[in-house]
Amino acid sequence: MPDYHDDLRLAHVLADAADAATMDRFKALDLKVETKPDMTPVTEADKAAEELIRGQLQRARPRDAVLGEEYGIEGTGPRRWVIDPIDGTKNYVRGVPVWATLISLMEAAEGGYRPVVGVVSAPALGRRWWAALGHGAYTGRSLSSASRLRVSKVSKLSDASFAYSSLGGWEERGQLNGFLDLTREVWRTRAYGDFWPYMMVAEGSVDLCAEPELSLWDMAATAIVVTEAGGTFTGLDGRPGPHSGNAAASNGLLHDELLSYLTQRY
C-alpha cells in the first residue's frame, strides 16, 4: 500500500498557506462578502485561499486534477485534489471561530474516487486533524507533534452524544420526525455544525453525527479522518464514502441504528 507521506506533507504545506491567508482576513472590518447563485455566502478570503492552494498544486502536482468549491474542476486523471477553502463561511463572516480549510487527495478506485489523504485545518480554533489511507488519523500541531485519533466505544444510543447542523434540512427531506425520534433516544445532542462534529467523532468525544445535504468538498477530507480513526462514514443511503450528497458518521457500533432513524419518512 502506498504510504502517501509526500502527499500528506504537501497537504500540510497547503493548509499552512491557507491558514495564513484566512486568518489575515478573519474579523476584518472591510471583508468583502458576496452571495452565490445558490444563495450561500462567499468571501474574498474563500477565493484567495482556493487560488493560493491551486497555484501551489499547479507547481507541486501539475498532473493532478483539482476540484474546489469556488472554481470547479480543472484537469483530469486518476488523482484529484478536493478543496473547500473555508468550510463554515457563515461562521467566518460573523466572527465565529468554527471554520476550517478542508484539503483531500482522492484517487480513482473500483466504484469511483476514494479519499486517500485528508487535512482539516481550523486555525481560529488552533486545531488541525489529518489522515492517510491505511496509516491512521491524527491531530496536533504538526506531523512530528501529533496524537492518534480513535473513535469511542459507546455501544448504546442511550449513552451516545449526537451532533447535527440544523433542523431545516431534515424537514425539507421529509425526515424531521425520524431525526427528532433519534434525539429523544440519545443521551445528548448538540448542534455544532460543519466539519467539527466529524472531527469529534474521530476523537471519540461525539459518537454520531449527520447532515442531510452536502457537497463532495464538504466531506472528502472529513470522511478519511473518521474512517482512519476507526469510525464509519457513509451517505444516508448507507453507501460508504463521501459520494451520496449527505453524510452520516459514527463510531461504527451505532451506525445501523443511526441510519434507521434518519431514513424514516412519515
Side-chain angles (χ1 to χ4, degrees):
M1 178 179 291
D3 64 16
Y4 298 107
H5 180 75
D6 288 343
D7 293 313
L8 181 59
R9 184 168 55 186
L10 173 60
H12 276 271
V13 171
L14 299 173
D16 288 343
D19 285 355
T22 52
M23 285 300 291
D24 184 60
R25 300 299 293 154
F26 185 47
K27 296 187 179 181
L29 296 179
D30 59 344
L31 181 71
K32 295 178 182 178
V33 184
E34 302 171 11
T35 301
K36 294 190 288 188
D38 64 359
M39 302 308 293
T40 60
V42 59
T43 72
E44 61 184 275
D46 291 84
K47 294 179 178 180
E50 185 167 324
E51 288 171 349
L52 186 63
I53 293 170
R54 285 177 178 269
Q56 293 199 17
L57 283 172
Q58 180 59 40
R59 292 187 293 273
R61 296 289 190 275
R63 296 182 180 180
D64 293 352
V66 182
L67 171 65
E69 179 178 10
E70 308 307 334
Y71 295 106
I73 184 73
E74 182 177 2
T76 59
R79 288 165 49 96
R80 177 182 298 173
W81 294 85
V82 179
I83 305 160
D84 189 343
I86 300 179
D87 181 56
T89 298
K90 292 177 183 178
N91 283 346
Y92 186 90
V93 168
R94 293 296 301 269
V96 178
V98 183
W99 50 270
T101 295
L102 313 184
I103 300 169
S104 178
L105 172 63
M106 303 186 74
E107 285 190 346
E110 186 176 351
Y113 284 84
R114 65 176 180 178
V116 296
V117 166
V119 172
V120 176
S121 190
L125 294 175
R127 298 293 310 275
R128 184 177 291 186
W129 304 261
W130 63 89
L133 184 65
H135 296 278
Y138 296 84
T139 185
R141 293 177 176 268
S142 66
L143 283 167
S144 60
S145 177
S147 56
R148 186 80 179 257
L149 295 176
R150 288 184 174 84
V151 296
S152 75
K153 296 181 180 180
V154 172
S155 60
K156 295 181 180 179
L157 278 182
S158 58
D159 295 329
S161 179
F162 170 52
Y164 62 97
S165 53
S166 67
L167 299 180
W170 300 106
E171 186 171 28
E172 291 171 7
R173 288 176 60 92
Q175 295 170 316
L176 180 59
N177 288 331
F179 173 90
L180 293 175
D181 285 346
L182 174 61
T183 67
R184 297 182 185 108
E185 290 296 320
V186 297
W187 166 64
R188 190 171 190 254
T189 61
R190 285 294 183 271
Y192 297 109
D194 300 307
F195 68 94
W196 206 8
Y198 301 96
M199 298 302 95
M200 287 191 278
V201 168
E203 291 179 338
S205 53
V206 163
D207 311 299
L208 312 162
C209 68
E211 289 182 271
E213 186 176 359
L214 293 169
S215 298
L216 179 61
W217 46 75
D218 298 312
M219 298 183 281
T222 58
I224 188 168
V225 174
V226 169
T227 55
E228 285 295 318
T232 300
F233 189 107
T234 72
L236 297 175
D237 56 7
R239 180 185 176 190
H243 299 288
S244 299
N246 43 57
S250 75
N251 63 4
L253 301 173
L254 298 167
H255 205 78
D256 289 345
E257 289 181 273
L258 172 65
L259 293 180
S260 70
Y261 277 94
L262 296 182
T263 54
Q264 291 179 23
R265 291 180 180 272
Y266 55 86

